[in-house]
Amino acid sequence: MFRNFLKISLRNLWRNRKVTLISIVGLSIGLACSLVIFLLVDYMFSFDRYQAKADRTYWVVTDIRQENIVPTDATPRPMGDVLRQEFPFVETAARLENVSRRVMAVPDGKGGFLTKFDESRNLCFTEPQFFSVFDSEWLSGNPKTALATPNTVVLTERYARKYFGSANPIGKVLRFDNQANLTVTGLIKNLPSNTKLRYDAFISYATVPTLLGADGKQAMQDWADVFTVCFVTLREGTPVERLLDAFPIIRKKYLTTPEAKKLDFHAIPLPELDHLPQYGGRSPKLILYALIIVGLFLTLASCINFINVATAHALKRSKEVGVRKVMGSSRGQLIGQFMVETTLVTLAAVLLAMVLAYFCLPMLNSALSVMNTDISIGSLFRPDSLRWFVALIIGVILLAGLYPSLVLARFNPVAALRGRLTTQQVGGVLVRRGLIVMQFFITQLFVICVVVMMAQVRHIQKADLGFQKEAILTVPIPASTILKQELVRTQLAQIAGVEAVALGADPPAAYRRLPVAFTYDTHTQPEKFPTVVKVADKNYVPLYGIKLLAGRNFRHNDTTNNEALVNETMVRELGLRSPDDVLGKRINLWGGDKIVIGVVRDFHLSSLNQAIPPATLLNYYRENRIASLKLNPTTISVTLKAVESTWNALYPEHVFKADFVDDLLNNFYMTEHILLGLAQVFSLIAILIGCLGLYGLVAFMAESKTKEIGIRKVLGATPRQLVWLFGREFSRLVLISFVLAAPLGWFLMNGWLQSYVYHVRFGWWVFAITLGSATLITALTVGYESVKAARMDPARSLRTE
């Protein structure tokens, strides 16, 4: 029986190639998008869940209690050691410190370097216990002793090849940031991409005190500063509540200074941290759940498209059904026959979807390169992924095939053979209208989301940040002596095309913005709110075009400078009426008194997601980390080469790396750009699937209204009036779906906009664009088939068979 069903199904599908192709393409596009989305979500949820001890390993984080809570993903340096030694329920704890913007060099044995490498993210300091907490496959070395002593390093295969080629790296030496020689004591396999701790060089934590200098030992016991990431693995069977109960004990015993008492500790399950944006997580669960819903919507839209095309084609198969019933076929056999056809179409669509997904995934990985994603189609065949994939295929077969099969199987054989089936007998009109409304609803919801996201991204790009960002280049300053810095300033300023040079710790808007407690004027207690300190020299404010509202700018760049600039928000938070009221007043921070000499206009210190905080600008040369260069826009390429040549002459032991400020600012909104790109693609897919569904329904209407159109033409109806028969129907459906989509779209996108302190206003224009685009898409899709039906010769449509 099944072989007979299969043979007949293949014949029918081939005979109706046009309908088959539309069905397969519609299903495959929706399924391909769903596959890509589900593979992405599955990848994001898999982070660090593969670790053998993931279910009992926790990331200890710290909240700093200021006027507002400042969450950090780190702890004071002594935390891991205290947990190991004083709490028996802790199996082990490991400390880790990130290393950024450092240089790793391969010495040539003659006092020089064979190669220098700028390392931004892939290096860290850690303890031997790290390899007890996290799984790693060792190729050489002992995990218990490889990092036990200072100046040792463990490399992954990738970085061993990068530094030493095919040679055995064990025992070889690397020069770290021109400060210490590191001996390679271990080699491990490359870590998988789905870990938040994707490092390639692990430097012994015991090296940190020597790099900190004379105060190194004291800094390692400091409980006031939050520098170190701490992981804790509990003994089997130990509830996390015991770890949480340990934190108050630690606070009472060790947090004795006013600054330390502001720290609160929490424990977060290891796999959960990547889903918490406040602690540096890059994949919030809300976004992942939203992507799952998008995938389900696209799958639903493609199934609706299949149903519409199948029911539109049903009239042409009515005689086949009538003959089968007369010959003795049961309803169950007919349903089985049509379900086999649906299964074949679905399987063909799944194969095509996998091919499409295979070619789309590299583009997705490229778009998400900042997150180092490595998603492949092979992930689909892992046991857990395979389960939901099979469930998805079965769900699509049932959802897409069951209703058309039931419709076809219940035809009256007499009416079918006489060609007198009504539209109600070929699938209920209300059902088909409901399906089209659902497709329009999905499409218009996507359009609303894309329009709002595009407006917000444009607002971000065009917003007044309070400072200039165009044609400003930043280059690092590795040295921290005033003599070297003045030499850097002088030589860079002499380059043709460099209009101005300023030194500071970072650009006006940057990721680093730790709050600092301070006292104001004659007050003896710290203010209730902290201030964000920006390090800047006398050229910084004019170079970035920051407006001075009162007082004056810095005049000198010397070591005795005790002056400060504050922003408008600082003045308001201090309760002062005018910027002039703060001039000449004392603020005490960073261990000394500063005199306020000027007030600058508010400028953004981070992304538009956050309000502008109280800020203080200090001319503190020891903290200068970058040189900002204002370039002539007409000679940028030539000037860049000259800057690189001059910088390399100044710092031959380091690697040149330059960034334009506007590129750095774009990094703030990487998530928004990624989401916008995904939303645009999925919207186009939803529109395409919707167009296919519309084509299916208008084809059905043209088939069912053949005689009505013929009679109307005989009675004098014009083509325009006949086309309106279709237009009136679809206009109502578009309007109904808009009424349903608009409130939900407003609710979702208004909530998304609230995550930005500065955002566009959600106005009527969003709905106007949505409704207009839906109407235009419908007119274009319906127009061809409706005009074709209206121009049909009435003699053909009224002919009695």
Side-chain angles (χ1 to χ4, degrees):
M1 180 67 73
F2 176 76
R3 188 166 67 177
N4 184 52
F5 283 169
L6 185 62
K7 187 184 299 184
I8 294 172
S9 297
L10 291 172
R11 287 174 181 170
N12 282 328
L13 293 175
W14 179 251
R15 186 181 303 115
N16 302 288
R17 292 185 290 276
K18 181 179 178 182
V19 175
T20 302
L21 182 62
I22 291 174
S23 300
I24 291 176
V25 170
L27 270 178
S28 63
I29 292 174
L31 286 174
C33 289
S34 300
L35 282 180
V36 171
I37 290 173
F38 293 151
L39 285 172
L40 171 62
V41 171
D42 181 65
Y43 177 82
M44 291 303 180
F45 272 123
S46 72
F47 268 61
D48 288 307
R49 294 181 187 274
Y50 67 89
Q51 306 284 358
K53 300 177 182 178
D55 59 334
R56 51 193 177 98
T57 298
Y58 297 86
W59 190 311
V60 181
V61 298
T62 306
D63 287 347
I64 304 174
R65 286 182 284 109
Q66 302 282 0
E67 182 184 18
N68 298 312
I69 299 297
V70 180
T72 71
D73 64 356
T75 63
R77 286 190 172 110
M79 174 64 78
D81 207 28
V82 167
L83 287 170
R84 277 196 301 260
Q85 295 179 7
E86 300 185 15
F87 299 92
F89 59 83
V90 173
E91 179 178 297
T92 189
R95 293 177 288 183
L96 180 147
E97 288 191 20
N98 294 305
V99 177
S100 60
R101 299 302 294 265
R102 302 296 182 91
V103 173
M104 195 75 89
V106 181
D108 61 3
K110 301 177 183 179
F113 303 101
L114 294 174
T115 321
K116 297 177 293 182
F117 302 91
D118 177 67
E119 302 293 0
S120 297
R121 297 172 181 264
N122 293 59
L123 275 60
C124 70
F125 296 103
T126 193
E127 301 177 291
Q129 289 86 350
F130 179 90
F131 300 107
S132 298
V133 175
F134 298 101
D135 301 335
S136 55
E137 187 174 345
W138 283 71
L139 302 175
S140 299
N142 187 333
K144 295 183 178 180
T145 60
L147 297 180
T149 57
N151 299 336
T152 53
V153 61
V154 172
L155 301 177
T156 62
E157 286 181 292
R158 186 162 63 118
Y159 263 44
R161 284 195 301 270
K162 176 180 176 180
Y163 293 145
F164 305 111
S166 58
N168 183 3
I170 301 299
K172 293 191 178 296
V173 174
L174 291 168
R175 183 71 174 167
F176 173 72
D177 210 36
N178 204 37
Q179 292 180 282
N181 289 332
L182 306 177
T183 302
V184 180
T185 54
L187 179 66
I188 62 175
K189 281 204 167 184
N190 297 329
L191 300 179
S193 63
N194 58 337
T195 175
K196 193 170 172 63
L197 309 167
R198 195 178 182 184
Y199 296 103
D200 288 289
F202 302 86
I203 306 170
S204 59
Y205 195 74
T207 310
V208 175
T210 61
L211 297 175
L212 294 176
D215 299 329
K217 290 185 178 180
Q218 181 180 349
M220 300 303 290
Q221 299 302 318
D222 187 3
W223 282 91
D225 290 322
V226 177
F227 287 113
T228 301
V229 175
C230 181
F231 309 99
V232 180
T233 299
L234 304 182
R235 297 190 185 279
E236 290 190 17
T238 303
V240 68
E241 286 73 20
R242 294 196 64 182
L243 177 60
L244 300 178
D245 292 340
F247 293 145
I249 298 173
I250 293 173
R251 291 189 77 253
K252 184 177 181 180
K253 184 176 181 180
Y254 293 103
L255 276 59
T256 56
T257 65
E259 286 302 308
K261 288 181 178 179
K262 295 179 180 179
L263 307 182
D264 283 330
F265 307 119
H266 308 282
I268 297 174
L270 179 65
E272 294 297 318
L273 196 80
D274 204 51
H275 307 311
L276 301 174
Q278 66 270 35
Y279 295 114
R282 300 169 299 177
S283 54
K285 284 188 175 180
L286 187 62
I287 290 179
L288 296 182
Y289 291 145
L291 285 174
I292 291 174
I293 293 173
V294 168
L296 292 175
F297 269 171
L298 290 174
T299 302
L300 178 61
S302 60
C303 290
I304 291 172
N305 168 69
F306 182 92
I307 293 170
N308 282 328
V309 173
T311 52
H313 184 61
L315 274 176
K316 293 183 178 180
R317 302 191 62 178
S318 59
K319 290 187 178 180
E320 173 195 344
V321 174
V323 171
R324 282 174 169 274
K325 284 196 169 185
V326 170
M327 298 296 293
S329 291
S330 66
R331 190 174 181 182
Q333 288 173 327
L334 289 171
I335 292 174
Q337 171 68 59
F338 298 128
M339 287 302 293
V340 168
E341 289 184 21
T342 302
T343 302
L344 291 175
V345 170
T346 303
L347 292 178
V350 167
L351 291 175
L352 181 56
M354 292 177 66
V355 173
L356 293 174
Y358 175 80
F359 288 106
C360 289
L361 286 175
M363 292 186 285
L364 180 65
N365 286 325
S366 176
L368 300 176
S369 58
V370 69
M371 301 174 70
N372 295 318
T373 58
D374 184 21
I375 309 170
S376 69
I377 198 70
S379 305
L380 201 58
F381 301 102
R382 295 200 313 264
D384 11 338
S385 301
L386 198 58
R387 280 195 293 270
W388 65 252
F389 184 47
V390 172
L392 175 67
I393 294 173
I394 294 173
V396 168
I397 291 172
L398 293 176
L399 186 61
L402 197 56
Y403 176 73
S405 299
L406 291 172
V407 169
L408 288 165
R410 72 185 183 193
F411 284 172
N412 184 296
V414 177
L417 291 172
R418 289 182 176 179
R420 295 180 179 177
L421 288 174
T422 65
T423 55
Q424 272 72 18
Q425 290 173 298
V426 190
V429 174
L430 288 179
V431 174
R432 287 192 304 279
R433 286 174 176 170
L435 294 175
I436 287 297
V437 166
M438 176 60 72
Q439 275 197 321
F440 276 131
F441 167 80
I442 294 171
T443 301
Q444 293 187 77
L445 188 60
F446 274 116
V447 172
I448 290 172
C449 294
V450 167
V451 169
V452 174
M453 293 176 74
M454 288 179 65
Q456 178 61 18
V457 170
R458 181 176 175 80
H459 174 70
I460 288 170
Q461 294 171 338
K462 301 295 182 183
D464 180 11
L465 301 178
F467 62 89
Q468 295 177 9
K469 60 180 181 177
E470 292 78 15
I472 296 180
L473 184 75
T474 64
V475 295
I477 305 177
S480 59
T481 63
I482 189 67
L483 181 62
K484 190 79 167 182
Q485 289 184 17
E486 287 301 325
L487 182 63
V488 170
R489 191 197 316 269
T490 302
Q491 293 202 12
L492 291 177
Q494 292 174 350
I495 298 173
V498 175
E499 299 177 351
V501 178
L503 305 186
D506 42 39
Y511 285 104
R512 191 177 71 163
R513 44 165 289 178
L514 288 177
V516 177
F518 71 101
T519 58
Y520 171 69
D521 201 17
T522 59
H523 299 173
T524 57
Q525 296 296 320
E527 300 302 313
K528 294 181 179 179
F529 60 92
T531 182
V532 173
V533 174
K534 303 292 293 185
V535 175
D537 69 358
K538 66 177 183 179
N539 298 333
Y540 191 93
V541 168
L543 183 143
Y544 280 103
I546 299 172
K547 186 177 180 181
L548 197 66
L549 299 179
R552 62 173 175 82
N553 186 22
F554 300 121
R555 289 177 177 167
H556 307 286
N557 290 323
D558 56 42
T559 59
T560 60
N561 198 319
N562 65 342
E563 299 173 337
L565 303 174
V566 298
N567 67 350
E568 293 176 275
T569 301
M570 181 79 149
V571 174
R572 287 195 299 270
E573 292 293 328
L574 289 171
L576 304 176
R577 295 182 179 179
S578 167
D580 294 318
D581 295 341
V582 77
L583 298 180
K585 294 295 193 297
R586 177 194 69 88
I587 57 173
N588 184 283
L589 75 167
W590 276 11
D593 286 344
K594 311 292 178 185
I595 304 302
V596 179
I597 60 167
V599 178
V600 297
R601 177 192 169 197
D602 277 344
F603 59 90
H604 286 276
L605 282 83
S606 59
S607 71
L608 297 183
N609 301 52
Q610 303 176 20
I612 298 174
T616 303
L617 278 70
L618 298 180
N619 190 349
Y620 196 63
Y621 82 98
R622 293 182 184 276
E623 292 295 321
N624 285 337
R625 295 289 181 268
I626 64 164
S628 300
L629 285 62
K630 179 70 174 176
L631 306 184
N632 185 328
T634 61
T635 60
I636 284 181
S637 59
V638 176
T639 306
L640 271 176
K641 294 179 181 178
V643 169
E644 182 176 2
S645 177
T646 301
W647 193 95
N648 284 332
L650 289 166
Y651 300 106
E653 69 278 12
H654 292 276
V655 179
F656 178 77
K657 183 175 176 60
D659 297 292
F660 282 98
V661 170
D662 46 6
D663 290 335
L664 295 173
L665 295 177
N666 284 335
N667 291 335
F668 281 131
Y669 309 106
M670 191 63 67
T671 301
E672 285 78 4
H673 287 294
I674 292 172
L675 287 176
L676 176 59
L678 291 174
Q680 288 174 326
V681 171
F682 295 147
S683 294
L684 290 175
I685 297 300
I687 289 170
L688 177 59
I689 295 172
C691 290
L692 290 172
L694 283 178
Y695 176 83
L697 186 57
V698 75
F700 168 81
M701 289 182 63
E703 188 84 25
S704 61
K705 291 179 179 289
T706 300
K707 288 186 170 58
E708 178 186 346
I709 292 172
I711 292 171
R712 286 177 178 271
K713 290 195 74 172
V714 170
L715 294 176
T718 65
R720 181 179 299 178
Q721 291 172 324
L722 295 174
V723 169
W724 179 239
L725 283 175
F726 298 91
R728 180 177 56 194
E729 172 76 13
F730 289 106
S731 298
R732 285 199 298 262
L733 298 181
V734 168
L735 193 57
I736 293 170
S737 60
F738 173 76
V739 170
L740 296 174
L744 181 59
W746 177 88
F747 174 77
L748 293 176
M749 298 315 295
N750 192 57
W752 180 71
L753 289 174
Q754 296 311 310
S755 63
Y756 298 87
V757 176
Y758 309 94
H759 57 78
V760 293
R761 296 185 63 182
F762 198 118
W764 61 268
W765 53 273
V766 175
F767 301 121
I769 292 173
T770 303
L771 186 58
S773 60
T775 303
L776 179 62
I777 291 167
T778 304
L780 293 175
T781 306
V782 173
Y784 170 76
E785 196 69 29
S786 58
V787 169
K788 178 182 173 184
R791 297 178 63 183
M792 186 183 298
D793 184 356
R796 291 180 57 194
S797 59
L798 295 176
R799 183 178 56 198
T800 301
E801 298 183 5

